[in-house]
Amino acid sequence: MADQERILPELLSKHQTQILESWSAEQLRNRRPGKAGISEEDLRGQCRDFLNALQEASQDDPSDDLQSPIWERARDILTDISREQSKHGASPSDIATFVFSLKQILFQLLQTEIGKRPEVFAREIWTTTLILDRLGLFTTQVALKIREEVIARQQSEMLELSTPVVKLWDGVLALPLIGTLDSERTQVVMESLLEEIVRTGAGIAIIDITGVPTVDTLVAQHLLKTVAAARLMGAECIISGIRPQIAATIVHLGVDLGDVSTKATLADAFAIALRRNNLVVTRTTPAARRQSAE
Amino acid sequence: MAIRSESLPILSSEDVVTVRRRVRAMAIEQGLKLIDQTKIITATSELARNTFVFGGGGTVLLEALESGGRYGVRLTFEDRGPGIADLTLAMKDGYTTGGGLGLGLSGAKRLSNEFEIDSRLGEGTRVTITRWR
Ligand SMILES: Nc1ncnc2c1ncn2[C@@H]1O[C@H](COP(=O)(O)OP(=O)(O)OP(=O)(O)O)[C@@H](O)[C@H]1O
Ligand SMILES: [Mg+2]
């Protein structure tokens, strides 16, 4: 292969400006409307850097072994570009398309340059395809890695919803929810409350949502379902920890909590629970304490 | 008009959590009151989940707005999913095809100052909401 003429690197340097122009124009056309994306200037810069690296590497190594050090600069540049683009919301396929869209432009140039020599033309098309396919695949690997990094970070940031059902009094259970209720775990937590109701025969369960940052229709639906299921098991639920801004938002959402009792604080809910159980809390005086001790 | 912007993917329920957190940060930066923060975050939660569940995933564009001394947050949710056949029906309280409460779209509209929805069958859905300080 070494003594074959190297068409691709020559083509890349000879038509540098033209390739850069049509390729970045293609990128700009492909941009989805209404999407932030990177600026036109940055995009042009990315295209230029990549074309230079591609030119250098294919000059030094007409083979297509992307693992070789000769391709390192091209790989580094593509990694940076993938990171930058995915930061702006580009999907893995968007980023691969970035590389693949170079094909048509290069093929057209090859056609005009060496189209009259079918054997050389076929060989060059093949090498160019191979190189661009591998580079395109490389970007999807990078994109996957970025995605894994994001997920790992999210998992550590996401408040794991872990809430024990606690007994506040005979017949009074409480479930203090802390965290986001988006995950599958919500169902598990709600079911553990129902199990406790059955196990203890409690008549009142307080679900406290002070620690739930956002109450949307999904959270509301979880709550309504749990209240309905508890009722079937003979327990009444009280939802507490509804901050004023949450109360207003629930109303705007149009969620109808129906006849479910709601309270601002867990303490308020507990007071209700005691009253329903015909219990009263009284403040004693030293004199009364002495009397009851006698 | 937009002084800052960022685009985020919505491909999982974890992404919905991240998007809410980014919107909260932007709403605070833009000086929205707690009640208005809560409203736009809740609307975000609804639209982001619709994008993920019904749209099969998509993106959201967050824009910090400044216009003649007014500050606000504009969000554009976009997916290339199946689209919505009957928008009037989808906007009705209680209409759901996914066993939900059917309040996400109409609720998000009530929670926003401006609301725009554009959906084409087989092409996708775009919802834009704005909340001003
Ligand atoms: N991005 C979307 N793509 C396709 N269909 C959608 C999209 N968003 C909403 N829909 C359709 O509109 C209906 C109503 O949406 P809405 O958010 O109001 O209710 P829901 O998601 O079903 O329930 P809830 O939001 O109350 O949990 C959905 O059930 C779905 O059929
Ligand atoms: Mg919804």
Side-chain angles (χ1 to χ4, degrees), chain A residues 32-34 36 87-89 147 154 157 180 182 213-218 221 245 248-249 252-255, chain B residues 5 7 9 14-15 17-18 20-21 24 34-35 38-39 41-42 45-46 49 61 80 99-101 103 110-111:
Chain A
R32 293 184 200 165
K87 213 160 59 187
H88 285 93
R147 194 76 208 132
Q154 284 172 340
E157 279 173 353
T180 56
D182 300 73
T214 305
V215 180
D216 58 7
T217 57
L218 183 73
Q221 201 181 17
Q245 69 274 20
T249 307
H252 279 97
L253 264 184
V255 171
Chain B
S5 72
S7 174
E14 285 80 8
D15 285 343
V17 179
T18 303
R20 280 203 305 259
R21 204 175 39 236
R24 183 186 301 272
L34 180 61
I35 177 76
T38 311
K39 283 179 181 173
I41 293 163
T42 309
S45 196
E46 296 304 337
R49 192 166 309 100
L61 173 69
R80 296 190 163 187
L101 294 178
L103 293 170
R110 285 186 290 266
L111 289 168

Side-chain angles (χ1 to χ4, degrees), chain A residues 71-83:
Chain A
W71 285 94
E72 192 176 331
R73 210 171 92 80
R75 273 182 287 145
D76 286 352
I77 287 173
L78 265 190
T79 307
D80 288 348
I81 293 175
S82 305
R83 275 190 192 282

Side-chain angles (χ1 to χ4, degrees), chain A:
Chain A
M1 245 218 168
D3 49 344
Q4 277 173 356
E5 36 176 347
R6 293 171 189 172
I7 311 273
L8 181 63
E10 208 180 285
L11 195 83
L12 284 167
S13 62
K14 191 170 153 201
H15 300 283
Q16 203 182 13
T17 338
Q18 192 198 331
I19 297 174
L20 180 62
E21 272 317 306
S22 12
W23 192 31
S24 32
E26 175 82 14
Q27 302 295 328
L28 289 172
R29 232 196 335 275
N30 281 345
R31 269 216 301 223
R32 293 184 200 165
K35 228 176 163 184
I38 56 173
S39 72
E40 199 173 324
E41 204 183 313
D42 289 346
L43 184 75
R44 205 174 284 273
Q46 289 183 349
C47 290
R48 190 186 314 111
D49 292 347
F50 176 73
L51 284 176
N52 284 338
L54 180 65
Q55 202 270 333
E56 278 170 27
S58 58
Q59 178 92 5
D60 293 338
D61 180 11
S63 84
D64 40 62
D65 176 15
L66 287 193
Q67 301 309 316
S68 89
I70 291 168
W71 285 94
E72 192 176 331
R73 210 171 92 80
R75 273 182 287 145
D76 286 352
I77 287 173
L78 265 190
T79 307
D80 288 348
I81 293 175
S82 305
R83 275 190 192 282
E84 196 56 32
Q85 293 201 358
S86 70
K87 213 160 59 187
H88 285 93
S91 70
S93 69
D94 289 339
I95 302 170
T97 306
F98 171 77
V99 176
F100 292 148
S101 63
L102 194 51
K103 274 189 193 172
Q104 201 192 359
I105 297 162
L106 293 183
F107 287 2
Q108 261 163 13
L109 282 171
L110 284 170
Q111 165 91 52
T112 12
E113 290 280 311
I114 50 168
K116 294 209 179 67
R117 299 152 63 199
E119 266 174 43
V120 186
F121 180 57
R123 188 193 70 212
E124 283 303 315
I125 289 277
W126 175 245
T127 340
T128 311
T129 303
L130 220 55
I131 292 177
L132 291 182
D133 283 356
R134 294 200 177 156
L135 290 169
L137 280 179
F138 174 76
T139 62
T140 37
Q141 280 166 16
V142 175
L144 260 176
K145 214 175 124 233
I146 297 171
R147 194 76 208 132
E148 276 164 12
E149 285 167 13
V150 170
I151 289 170
R153 203 184 55 233
Q154 284 172 340
Q155 278 170 345
S156 60
E157 279 173 353
M158 198 167 162
L159 291 163
E160 181 65 70
L161 183 68
S162 65
T163 28
V165 180
V166 292
K167 181 179 158 185
L168 292 184
W169 204 263
D170 269 344
V172 183
L173 295 175
L175 178 68
L177 292 173
I178 298 170
T180 56
L181 303 191
D182 300 73
S183 78
E184 307 286 318
R185 269 196 56 73
T186 308
Q187 202 59 41
V188 178
V189 169
M190 295 304 194
E191 274 159 18
S192 70
L193 175 67
L194 298 176
E195 279 163 21
E196 277 302 288
I197 290 173
V198 174
R199 202 180 63 80
T200 62
I204 295 177
I206 302 170
I207 304 174
D208 185 74
I209 58 167
T210 310
V212 179
T214 305
V215 180
D216 58 7
T217 57
L218 183 73
V219 174
Q221 201 181 17
H222 277 305
L223 294 173
L224 289 170
K225 275 185 183 164
T226 310
V227 171
R231 216 166 255 173
L232 287 177
M233 291 161 185
E236 274 306 304
C237 287
I238 304 171
I239 298 172
S240 69
I242 302 189
R243 291 146 285 162
Q245 69 274 20
I246 300 284
T249 307
I250 290 178
V251 170
H252 279 97
L253 264 184
V255 171
D256 182 10
L257 288 178
D259 52 355
V260 182
S261 359
T262 55
K263 285 284 155 235
T265 67
L266 182 57
D268 294 342
F270 186 47
I272 295 263
L274 291 179
R275 203 171 311 143
R276 288 205 195 145
N277 282 352
N278 301 318
L279 292 161
V280 278
V281 180
T282 49
R283 189 189 297 277
T284 58
T285 58
R289 256 204 310 274
R290 265 196 308 278
Q291 213 170 32
S292 69
E294 277 160 14

Side-chain angles (χ1 to χ4, degrees), chain B residues 46 50 54 104:
Chain B
E46 296 304 337
N50 282 355
F54 301 108

